[in-house]
């Protein structure tokens, strides 16, 4: 949904920088931000009703589902960290080694991390997403941190706030890849210093981010 909105609301002069045609570090932000809305009880309860009785979704049932769903959320984060590390290795100078072996490298990484180490499967050899991202798979984690900052700043008090929704649309979505992503993030968070995209900007995004 986030990718769709990014593309539909793009208002760039050139098609090749419209919507999701932007920096890969930045492209997952709208998509991940939508996950915050999809998990916010205030959003869900605004429309969730039984298809036959039209009764609203019981809040206790929703809370139970979300608590059960969050039980292993850290495993998902760990999995993305692992894939991001693997992606970096697979796009390093190791590829020039004549004995380069994707599966062996994957198993070595699993053993190094040491958490439920997988020494048998060969799924990385069939997982094309790492190839298509070309050493920037970490953008999922990076954009999750940015999305957390934006949601907490604009929508935590009221996820259906129209004014803040329009701000995200006008300051981020409509520009696609026609502006520097750090400039867009700076504008939507009202923090001028983030435009530099330097070490301090990265530290700000990482601090207290809810991954």
């Amino acid at each position: 949904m986030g990718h769709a909105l990014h593309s539909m609301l793009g208002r760039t002069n050139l098609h090749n920088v419209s919507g999701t045609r932007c920096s890969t570090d930045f492209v997952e932000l709208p998509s991940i931000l939508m996950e915050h809305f999809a998990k916010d009880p205030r959003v869900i309860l605004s429309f969730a009703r039984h298809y036959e009785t039209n009764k609203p979704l019981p809040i206790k049932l929703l809370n139970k589902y979300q608590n059960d769903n969050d039980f292993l959320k850290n495993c998902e984060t760990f999995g993305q960290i692992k894939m991001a590390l693997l992606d970096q290795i697979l796009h390093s100078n190791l590829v020039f080694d004549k004995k380069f072996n994707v599966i062996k490298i994957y198993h070595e990484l699993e053993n190094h991390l040491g958490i439920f180490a997988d020494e048998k499967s060969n799924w990385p050899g069939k997982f094309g997403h790492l190839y298509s991202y070309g050493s920037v798979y970490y953008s999922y984690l990076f954009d999750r941190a940015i999305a957390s900052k934006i949601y907490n700043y604009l929508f935590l008090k009221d996820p259906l706030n129209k004014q803040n929704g329009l701000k995200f649309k006008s300051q981020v979505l409509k520009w696609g890849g026609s502006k520097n992503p750090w400039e867009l993030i700076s504008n939507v968070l009202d923090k001028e210093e983030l435009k530099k995209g330097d070490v301090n900007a990265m530290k700000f995004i990482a601090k207290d981010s809810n991954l």
Side-chain angles (χ1 to χ4, degrees):
M1 185 64 183
H3 290 319
L5 286 174
H6 204 178
S7 295
M8 288 188 294
L9 298 176
R11 292 295 180 269
T12 56
N13 292 326
L14 299 175
H15 180 67
N16 66 335
V17 290
S18 179
T20 56
R21 295 172 178 85
C22 59
S23 169
T24 309
D25 279 2
F26 181 63
V27 72
E28 298 297 337
L29 170 59
S31 174
I32 295 173
L33 183 67
M34 289 301 297
E35 294 179 14
H36 287 268
F37 289 97
K39 294 176 181 178
D40 194 311
R42 294 166 294 180
V43 175
I44 297 173
L45 294 176
S46 70
F47 67 87
R49 293 180 176 275
H50 194 281
Y51 77 103
E52 289 182 330
T53 66
N54 203 39
K55 289 183 178 179
L57 176 67
I59 184 64
K60 287 185 178 180
L61 180 61
L62 176 60
N63 288 338
K64 182 181 185 306
Y65 167 77
Q66 290 190 327
N67 288 335
D68 291 344
N69 198 46
D70 284 345
F71 179 64
L72 294 175
K73 69 176 183 179
N74 292 331
C75 290
E76 180 185 355
T77 301
F78 174 73
Q80 287 196 323
I81 292 172
K82 180 168 59 180
M83 287 188 282
L85 289 171
L86 180 61
D87 185 37
Q88 292 285 306
I89 296 171
L90 296 182
H91 290 86
S92 70
N93 288 334
L94 285 178
V95 298
F96 299 113
D97 188 333
K98 293 182 179 180
K99 297 180 180 180
F100 177 75
N101 186 309
V102 172
I103 306 306
K104 181 181 177 181
I105 289 172
Y106 165 62
H107 290 160
E108 288 175 350
L109 176 62
E110 283 280 0
N111 285 320
H112 174 70
L113 295 175
I115 301 177
F116 301 114
D118 172 18
E119 300 176 320
K120 301 295 183 182
S121 75
N122 62 358
W123 70 264
K126 299 173 285 186
F127 188 57
H129 212 25
L130 290 181
Y131 169 79
S132 63
Y133 263 65
S135 80
V136 287
Y137 192 87
Y138 65 82
S139 62
Y140 279 98
L141 293 165
F142 183 43
D143 287 340
R144 192 181 293 188
I146 299 173
S148 177
K149 289 289 185 184
I150 292 176
Y151 195 82
N152 290 340
Y153 184 66
L154 292 182
F155 303 110
L156 188 61
K157 291 183 179 178
D158 179 9
L160 302 178
N161 185 292
K162 181 177 180 179
Q163 182 178 351
N164 287 344
L166 289 172
K167 180 177 183 179
F168 184 69
K169 172 188 173 183
S170 64
Q171 298 292 346
V172 177
L173 295 178
K174 83 170 190 177
W175 297 103
S178 64
K179 276 192 174 184
N180 187 309
W182 281 110
E183 182 179 349
L184 304 183
I185 295 168
S186 169
N187 291 339
V188 79
L189 291 176
D190 298 314
K191 285 194 168 292
E192 183 71 20
E193 62 272 23
L194 296 181
K195 289 184 178 180
K196 297 178 181 179
D198 55 11
V199 172
N200 291 327
M202 293 293 286
K203 286 181 178 179
F204 172 80
I205 294 299
K207 186 178 179 181
D208 302 324
S209 291
N210 181 19
L211 297 181

